[in-house]
């Protein structure tokens, strides 16, 4: 159907005629996501007419059809103008049942109308900064949270709950003020934790342990998994800076309650392998936001038959995190986004919980037996992580190195033992530990974990590569002292030339173990010093 026909009908036709025309338009354009420039002005005019038409008293079927047309037009960023006014947004919010007023939140009885209006708002908020600003002024987040509070009492369809949560995620992701408003004024962390508990359908066994109703627990159904992931994303947005500040006991209790639910999320699966990984990924991201002192809920549950026990502690959750890390390492896709959250979480957990660190070390850095291969060669977790230590992405290599360094109790000698000095150099340089030593972490006393194979091979291990290497012939064997000095001078002159041409930047180490640059004058001094020593040596020979 021609767009001008739709325009003329909406502008001048009766409600029934408009309904039929819009139904045909929607059917033809339902899968349209790209739009021609030639009809841009007509689409803008249609958008303005539709938002006006929606303000009239209409039958629910006509409202739904009109909103479907608006949803299609909202995919075109050039047509958003009529929808991104306060009047336009309030009209859509009223039909979505989230238009906030001081007296009450207006509700629309027809569920199909609510659903279509929510879809429209999601599209418009996602695409328009102006709409994002106006939703903040209109306090739509208050209307949204008021409805979310009623989920336990009202039997709303999955689709409405899902798009409620999707819109809330978009608002908190795109607007810092809404994020703060939800977290503080509206007590969003407690509200979303309650909503997550309701969605998961769990029962509390202890103050910090939950379980599914069935035994063994069934995979989380698709609809519940979709809603749970939206809740996790909203919680991530409003707890983004939590681990960077101190929390009081009341907040800590709230975060531990949330942590117990997140542990349950780790221990269950969703509908399908891909959905399970996505579900666990959002869980890991949120766990990384919790205050460090609240991560002890991962270890709180009692050891049950079938649980993985280590030092008397239930390590099921930590083991799942380790398996998740291993799977992400094998996938090798978007390493920064997929690896850094779980690496940071494991690193901080190992730093503050001795049992976690010792368990992870036993899994990742078991006592060395293979000293013939480089640390980065092989398919063990240690090999995969050491390979990341020289990754091109700075964040990835830093996270991998920091994780292994903490497992080594931040001991330089132990770190070099497991990774090789060449791989370890980046972190050691950044920490000012090139000369060795140890940072001031709170760790237990070292214990001897060297195997007989390692002790036997240790004198022959090259500390740079971290493996046993065949002894190479001495290239200076048979040279006189004069020839050795000449080769040394050639090397210094080559360094000097490359430095002057700014091909390399010579570095040295200061007394504190930090890297420091050598200037050209430093190299000149070194050249002159060697030349003077050589002349002095020659004159001594002449006197004899």
């Amino acid at each position: 159907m021609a767009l001008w026909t739709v325009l003329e009908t909406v502008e001048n036709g009766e409600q029934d005629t408009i309904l039929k025309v819009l139904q045909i338009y929607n059917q033809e354009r339902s899968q349209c996501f790209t739009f021609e420039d030639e009809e841009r002005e007509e689409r803008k005019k249609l958008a303005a007419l539709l938002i006006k038409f929606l303000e009239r008293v209409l039958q629910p079927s006509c409202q739904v059809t009109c909103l479907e047309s608006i949803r299609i037009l909202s995919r075109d960023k050039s047509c958003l103008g009529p929808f991104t006014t306060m009047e336009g947004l309030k009209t859509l919010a009223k039909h979505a049942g989230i238009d906030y007023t001081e007296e009450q939140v207006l509700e629309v009885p027809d569920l199909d109308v609510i659903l279509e209006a929510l879809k429209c708002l999601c599209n418009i908020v996602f695409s328009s900064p102006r709409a994002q600003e106006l939703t903040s002024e209109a306090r739509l987040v208050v209307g949204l949270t008021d409805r979310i509070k009623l989920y336990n009492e009202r039997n709303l369809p999955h689709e409405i709950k899902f798009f409620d949560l999707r819109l809330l995620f978009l608002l908190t992701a795109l607007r810092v003020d809404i994020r703060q408003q939800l977290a503080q004024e509206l007590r969003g962390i407690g509200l979303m934790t309650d909503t997550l508990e309701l969605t998961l359908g769990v029962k509390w066994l202890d103050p910090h342990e939950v379980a599914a109703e069935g035994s063994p627990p069934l995979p989380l159904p698709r609809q519940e998994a979709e809603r749970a992931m939206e809740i996790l994303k909203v919680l991530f947005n409003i707890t983004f800076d939590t681990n960077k500040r101190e929390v009081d006991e009341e907040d800590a209790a709230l975060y531990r309650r949330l942590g117990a639910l997140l542990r349950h999320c780790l221990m269950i699966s969703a509908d399908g392998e891909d959905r399970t990984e996505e579900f666990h990924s959002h869980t890991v991201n949120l766990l990384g936001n919790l205050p460090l002192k609240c991560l002890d809920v991962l270890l709180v549950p009692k050891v049950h038959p079938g649980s993985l026990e280590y030092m008397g502690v239930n390590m099921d959750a930590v083991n799942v995190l380790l398996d998740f890390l291993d799977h992400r390492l094998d996938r090798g896709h978007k390493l920064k986004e997929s690896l850094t959250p779980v690496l940071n979480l494991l690193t901080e957990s190992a730093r503050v919980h001795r049992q976690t660190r010792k368990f992870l070390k036993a899994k990742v850095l078991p006592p060395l037996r293979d000293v013939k291969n480089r640390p980065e060669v092989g398919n063990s977790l240690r090999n995969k992580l050491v390979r990341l230590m020289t990754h091109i992405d700075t964040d990835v290599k830093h996270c991998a190195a920091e994780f292994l360094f903490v497992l080594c109790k931040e001991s330089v000698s132990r770190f070099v033992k497991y990774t090789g000095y060449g791989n370890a150099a980046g972190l050691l340089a950044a920490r000012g530990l090139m000369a060795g030593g140890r940072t001031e972490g709170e760790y237990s006393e070292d214990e001897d974990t060297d195997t007989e194979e390692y002790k036997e091979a240790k004198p022959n291990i090259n500390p740079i590569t971290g493996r046993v290497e065949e002894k190479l012939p001495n290239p200076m064997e048979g040279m006189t002292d004069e020839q050795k000095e000449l080769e040394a001078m050639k090397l210094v002159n080559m360094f000097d030339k490359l430095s002057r041409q700014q091909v390399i930047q010579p570095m040295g180490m200061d007394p504190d173990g930090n890297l420091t640059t050598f200037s050209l004058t430093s190299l000149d001094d070194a050249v002159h010093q060697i030349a003077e020593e050589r002349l002095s040596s020659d004159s001594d020979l002449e006197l004899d």
Side-chain angles (χ1 to χ4, degrees):
M1 179 177 288
L3 191 56
W4 64 268
T5 304
V6 180
L7 270 172
E8 185 176 339
T9 305
V10 174
E11 193 167 12
N12 302 311
E14 296 295 326
Q15 185 176 146
D16 291 343
T17 310
I18 293 172
L19 175 62
K20 292 177 183 177
V21 169
L22 289 180
Q23 284 174 338
I24 296 171
Y25 176 81
N26 295 345
Q27 187 174 2
E28 291 176 351
R29 307 296 176 93
S30 63
Q31 298 303 312
C32 180
F33 293 91
T34 56
F35 299 87
E36 298 175 2
D37 292 339
E38 290 78 9
E39 295 181 332
R40 179 180 298 169
E41 292 305 317
E42 288 83 351
R43 289 195 301 275
K44 286 183 181 179
K45 186 176 180 182
L46 178 59
L49 288 172
L50 287 175
I51 203 72
K52 270 289 186 189
F53 179 65
L54 197 59
E55 293 174 0
R56 291 162 55 178
V57 178
L58 304 171
Q59 293 295 320
S61 59
C62 196
Q63 290 176 330
V64 171
T65 303
C66 181
L67 287 165
E68 286 174 352
S69 301
I70 291 174
R71 174 163 56 86
I72 292 170
L73 290 172
S74 69
R75 299 169 185 165
D76 181 4
K77 292 185 179 180
S78 65
C79 293
L80 294 178
F83 308 140
T84 54
T85 63
M86 183 61 81
E87 294 76 17
L89 278 174
K90 276 190 165 291
T91 297
L92 292 172
K94 182 180 71 174
H95 286 78
I98 57 172
D99 184 23
Y100 175 76
T101 64
E102 292 296 331
E103 294 81 21
Q104 60 180 343
V105 176
L106 301 176
E107 288 287 351
V108 177
D110 192 276
L111 297 178
D112 291 333
V113 173
I114 294 176
L115 178 59
E116 276 303 323
L118 283 171
K119 291 179 180 179
C120 293
L121 285 169
C122 285
N123 281 359
I124 294 165
V125 167
F126 177 73
S127 300
S128 170
R130 175 59 180 160
Q132 295 158 22
E133 183 181 344
L134 289 173
T135 54
S136 176
E137 293 177 16
R139 293 174 64 84
L140 295 193
V141 67
V142 179
L144 267 175
T145 53
D146 282 347
R147 183 155 67 209
I148 291 172
K149 291 174 186 176
L150 301 176
Y151 281 0
N152 196 27
E153 303 172 12
R154 296 183 56 190
N155 189 25
L156 291 171
H158 157 72
E159 288 81 6
I160 289 181
K161 291 180 180 179
F162 176 80
F163 281 101
D164 275 347
L165 296 167
R166 171 61 59 87
L167 180 57
L168 189 59
F169 161 68
L170 290 172
L171 292 174
T172 53
L174 298 169
R175 293 287 302 186
V176 176
D177 55 344
I178 293 180
R179 195 181 309 159
Q180 294 171 341
Q181 181 185 9
L182 178 59
Q184 298 167 15
E185 177 189 336
L186 302 175
R187 300 186 177 275
I189 298 172
L191 171 63
M192 300 314 294
T193 301
D194 291 340
T195 310
L196 179 62
E197 179 185 342
L198 181 66
T199 304
L200 295 173
V202 294
K203 59 182 179 182
W204 290 90
L205 304 179
D206 284 311
H208 297 129
E209 183 179 4
V210 299
E213 292 292 343
S215 182
L218 298 173
L220 194 64
R222 181 183 64 83
Q223 293 185 348
E224 282 72 13
E226 288 178 350
R227 297 203 304 275
M229 287 190 281
E230 294 302 315
I231 295 168
L232 293 174
K233 291 191 290 184
V234 173
L235 280 165
F236 177 85
N237 289 342
I238 61 178
T239 60
F240 188 69
D241 63 343
T242 303
N243 63 356
K244 300 172 186 175
R245 56 184 172 84
E246 286 294 323
V247 292
D248 58 29
E249 286 305 312
E250 183 180 350
D251 286 341
L254 176 60
Y255 288 120
R256 283 194 172 92
R257 180 165 166 265
L258 173 58
L261 291 170
L262 295 179
R263 184 189 183 279
H264 176 75
C265 291
L266 283 179
M267 302 309 300
I268 62 174
S269 61
D271 180 28
E273 186 176 337
D274 290 343
R275 198 180 300 277
T276 297
E277 183 175 349
E278 184 184 2
F279 180 49
H280 286 172
S281 178
H282 291 305
T283 303
V284 168
N285 291 345
L286 181 52
L287 275 169
N289 283 0
L290 297 191
L292 293 180
K293 68 178 183 179
C294 299
L295 291 177
D296 55 2
V297 294
L298 296 179
L299 310 177
V300 163
K302 299 173 184 176
V303 178
H304 304 291
S307 297
L308 180 58
E309 179 186 356
Y310 188 84
M311 297 178 66
V313 176
N314 187 323
M315 286 292 171
D316 287 340
V318 179
N319 195 53
V320 169
L321 289 172
L322 204 56
D323 288 341
F324 179 81
L325 170 63
D326 198 12
H327 182 70
R328 286 289 172 95
L329 286 167
D330 289 338
R331 194 173 65 171
H333 179 60
K334 292 184 178 179
L335 288 180
K336 182 174 181 178
E337 293 82 356
S338 63
L339 281 181
T340 52
V342 65
L343 277 172
N344 285 331
L345 176 60
L346 288 172
T347 301
E348 295 306 322
S349 297
R351 205 191 299 272
V352 297
H353 297 118
R354 176 172 172 265
Q355 297 96 328
T356 300
R357 178 185 57 76
K358 292 178 77 68
F359 173 78
L360 290 172
K361 183 177 183 299
K363 291 280 189 177
V364 180
L365 300 177
L368 276 179
R369 298 185 187 279
D370 177 15
V371 288
K372 294 181 179 179
N373 295 310
R374 290 174 178 264
E376 63 269 25
V377 176
N379 294 314
S380 70
L381 256 176
R382 166 183 166 241
N383 303 141
K384 296 172 188 177
L385 289 166
V386 172
R387 283 198 290 273
L388 289 182
M389 291 170 64
T390 52
H391 194 272
I392 189 171
D393 189 289
T394 305
D395 290 335
V396 171
K397 71 179 182 181
H398 172 76
C399 286
E402 185 75 12
F403 177 51
L404 294 177
F405 193 48
V406 169
L407 295 190
C408 293
K409 297 198 273 194
E410 304 190 30
S411 164
V412 172
S413 60
R414 184 173 295 188
F415 187 49
V416 170
K417 166 186 164 182
Y418 281 102
T419 66
Y421 193 82
N423 294 314
L427 180 135
L428 298 181
R431 292 287 198 93
L433 295 170
M434 293 290 282
R438 187 173 190 165
T439 59
E440 297 181 359
E442 295 182 6
Y443 299 104
S444 57
E445 292 296 321
D446 288 340
E447 52 201 39
D448 185 10
T449 59
D450 292 344
T451 60
E452 291 300 322
E453 296 92 330
Y454 178 78
K455 289 177 180 178
E456 184 178 338
K458 187 175 181 179
N460 301 315
I461 293 176
N462 183 336
I464 302 299
T465 61
R467 70 168 181 177
V468 173
E469 295 183 350
E470 293 182 7
K471 290 185 178 180
L472 300 174
N474 185 355
M476 292 190 174
E477 189 173 350
M479 285 188 182
T480 63
D481 289 342
E482 289 79 3
Q483 289 173 317
K484 293 177 182 178
E485 288 180 7
L486 181 61
E487 292 298 323
M489 284 299 299
K490 286 181 182 178
L491 184 62
V492 170
N493 285 326
M494 283 191 288
F495 274 118
D496 185 43
K497 182 179 178 182
L498 290 171
S499 178
R500 290 180 184 279
Q501 294 174 348
Q502 297 184 340
V503 176
I504 64 169
Q505 172 63 67
M507 305 289 287
M509 198 185 308
D510 64 18
D512 296 327
N514 295 308
L515 286 178
T516 182
T517 58
F518 273 136
S519 62
L520 290 177
T521 54
S522 301
L523 280 177
D524 285 340
D525 292 343
V527 172
H528 291 312
Q529 183 178 351
I530 294 173
E532 288 173 3
E533 289 175 357
R534 187 177 177 193
L535 287 172
S536 174
S537 176
D538 290 344
S539 63
D540 289 343
L541 290 171
E542 290 173 6
L543 287 172
D544 289 341

